[in-house]
Amino acid sequence: MPRPSPVTDAVRSLIEGDGHRAWSLDELLEEVRRQIKTANFSTILRAVWTLEKRSLVDRVDLGDGKARYEAPRDHHEHVRCIRCGSIAEVPGCVVDEAAAGVEARTGYAVQSHQVVFAGLCPDCRAVTAGSGR
């Protein structure tokens, strides 16, 4: 059993906390440093690896070049703003029917999928509409 780690505990608490979200390593570091001043990037990375090995966090690739981590839950998709980079969760799975079509067309038995929608968040959309673009 791994020895107790205040950084790992803090990371787990953030990831499992209210307001479900996918955390980047930089975001985790910023928040953990508020509690534990000695936390650094490598302690955050080791904490995330430990939690991932224990299946307490899931790694998510949202197409922005950053690994992100979230609490394991029911399958869902994400949408990312192409302007400001904000991310929102899309409740439930919106591609189950498409997966059945992929199976029918390819003969593959689809086991999982990951879809990230990209567009403009409400704030960026308002700014774009206001500028006439």
Side-chain angles (χ1 to χ4, degrees):
M1 172 142 44
R3 68 178 194 221
S5 162
V7 171
T8 301
D9 292 343
V11 167
R12 182 176 181 184
S13 178
L14 285 170
I15 290 174
E16 292 178 346
D18 293 338
H20 177 77
R21 63 181 278 193
W23 292 83
S24 72
L25 292 171
D26 292 330
E27 292 167 336
L28 288 168
L29 176 58
E30 182 180 328
E31 287 298 317
V32 170
R33 269 196 181 151
R34 292 174 196 222
Q35 303 166 37
I36 305 169
K37 302 295 183 213
T38 58
N40 60 43
F41 191 82
S42 40
T43 58
I44 297 297
L45 186 59
R46 282 194 303 273
V48 167
W49 284 346
T50 297
L51 294 170
E52 193 175 16
K53 277 195 290 188
R54 294 168 52 199
S55 300
L56 297 172
V57 300
D58 288 337
R59 183 187 324 214
V60 182
D61 178 1
L62 299 179
D64 62 355
K66 297 178 183 178
R68 294 183 180 270
Y69 300 88
E70 63 184 7
R73 314 182 357 175
D74 292 338
H75 179 75
H76 57 277
E77 318 307 344
H78 296 89
V79 59
R80 180 178 50 84
C81 181
I82 58 175
R83 182 179 222 175
C84 72
S86 67
I87 295 166
E89 184 178 300
V90 179
C93 180
V94 297
V95 296
D96 279 339
E97 290 179 27
V102 168
E103 286 183 349
R105 291 180 180 166
T106 65
Y108 279 68
V110 175
Q111 301 295 308
S112 68
H113 62 268
Q114 183 173 332
V115 174
V116 178
F117 297 92
L120 294 173
C121 69
D123 291 340
C124 290
R125 198 171 165 193
V127 168
T128 302
S131 69
R133 290 186 188 186

